Amino acid sequence: MLVLLPPSEGKATGGSRSPLDLGSLSLPRLGEARAEVLDELVALCSGDEAKAAEVLGLSEGLRGEIAKNAALREAGTRPAGEIYTGVLYDALGLVTLPDAARRRAARSLLVFSGLWGAVRIGDRIPSYRCSMGVRLPGLGALGTYWRTRTPLADVVPEAAGNGLVLDLRSAAYAAAWKPKGEVAERTATVRVLQSKVVAGVEKRSVVSHFNKATKGRLVRDLLIAGVTPSGPGELVEALRELGYAVEATAPERAGRAWALDVVVTEL
């Protein structure tokens, strides 16, 4: 099973004195593209600060992220699983996973990134600020860049092998790689809906906090249980056995992914 995750907007700072080594990162076929994006980002943030803030969509209170980006090649690094923070990663709780579940996480989790394309949680990276929605002056929109001008379309299916792909990415990161053909047919996307009863009528809505926390908890539970569903149908059964209320929609035609709704009433 390959689990596709978004990164977090906020990231942990600090790290070892070992600087970034692009050649050590997983999915080495992305190396050239990573270097190109890194060079563009460092150049942008080493120049006009106002322009960098505009391109990156940074408020006045986040101007410090520009200097951090400018120093990415010399900055200390940490495993990506420690760099990414926030609601989803707090609920996933990588550092508190049992040893066996942590090994499964290292094999099965793939975090998409505007800067790196995609990384494993054990890859050592510096803290950075560059979302998939950014349009770098020399490369354009990063979602389009990773989808059309890099080998990401080949790399992700290779990483998935013949197994299930559980896609938990947000829309911006899903734009960087879209499953096709046979891979799509064993891919399941997940939407989390909060259910409330108002005046005797059930109402469902997408709430960001519930969405992120539930996805993190869902991945954690799968990793601890050690289940290895071979396809979306088995995944639905596994999640229901773990106590989740899941409604599944099979694709209407070949080459499309399954759509899963996980319905929650509280965190």
Side-chain angles (χ1 to χ4, degrees):
M1 177 174 66
L2 184 68
V3 182
L4 310 182
L5 297 175
S8 59
E9 187 169 301
K11 298 173 182 69
T13 57
S16 74
R17 294 184 178 179
S18 301
L20 173 67
D21 177 6
L22 284 176
S24 71
L25 300 183
S26 301
L27 313 179
R29 290 178 60 193
L30 299 178
E32 184 176 338
R34 288 166 173 157
E36 189 171 30
V37 178
L38 180 63
D39 286 344
E40 285 281 337
L41 182 62
V42 169
L44 171 70
C45 293
S46 299
D48 187 322
E49 184 176 297
K51 179 181 178 181
E54 179 182 1
V55 170
L56 297 175
L58 299 178
S59 65
E60 189 64 34
L62 293 173
R63 287 293 183 101
E65 300 292 297
I66 298 171
K68 184 168 71 175
N69 280 349
L72 281 174
R73 289 195 178 274
E74 298 78 36
T77 58
R78 300 172 68 171
E82 296 178 13
I83 288 288
Y84 297 119
T85 60
V87 176
L88 187 154
Y89 289 90
D90 286 346
L92 175 53
L94 288 168
V95 297
T96 62
L97 285 173
D99 289 343
R102 200 175 304 176
R103 289 192 292 272
R104 294 185 195 105
R107 294 192 301 268
S108 62
L109 303 187
L110 196 62
V111 184
F112 273 65
S113 162
L115 176 52
W116 316 114
V119 291
R120 301 281 190 183
I121 60 170
D123 288 332
R124 298 192 68 91
I125 58 175
S127 181
Y128 66 96
R129 188 83 175 205
C130 184
S131 72
M132 193 66 80
V134 163
R135 299 179 64 91
L136 289 177
L139 299 179
L142 288 177
T144 302
Y145 172 82
W146 285 108
R147 186 177 71 252
T148 62
R149 295 166 57 186
T150 78
L152 196 62
D154 296 324
V155 168
V156 178
E158 287 173 4
N162 296 319
L164 167 75
V165 178
L166 175 55
D167 191 351
L168 303 179
R169 298 172 297 165
S170 56
Y173 291 90
W177 176 76
K178 298 179 184 296
K180 298 179 180 179
E182 181 269 336
V183 177
E185 293 172 11
R186 49 186 167 88
T187 296
T189 63
V190 173
R191 179 176 64 166
V192 178
L193 299 176
Q194 182 189 16
S195 173
K196 285 185 176 182
V197 177
V198 180
V201 178
E202 183 193 26
K203 295 186 177 181
R204 293 180 177 182
S205 60
V206 177
V207 180
S208 177
H209 186 79
F210 276 74
N211 177 58
K212 294 175 182 178
T214 302
K215 286 179 176 178
R217 191 173 69 247
L218 179 152
V219 174
R220 180 181 178 87
D221 289 345
L222 288 171
L223 292 171
I224 292 175
V227 295
T228 55
S230 60
E234 290 186 14
L235 172 66
V236 172
E237 293 178 7
L239 290 175
R240 287 172 177 167
E241 289 178 2
L242 289 169
Y244 290 91
V246 182
E247 298 173 358
T249 303
E252 295 182 353
R253 59 187 186 210
R256 297 293 180 90
W258 285 55
L260 274 55
D261 282 344
V262 176
V263 183
V264 298
T265 56
E266 57 185 18
L267 289 178

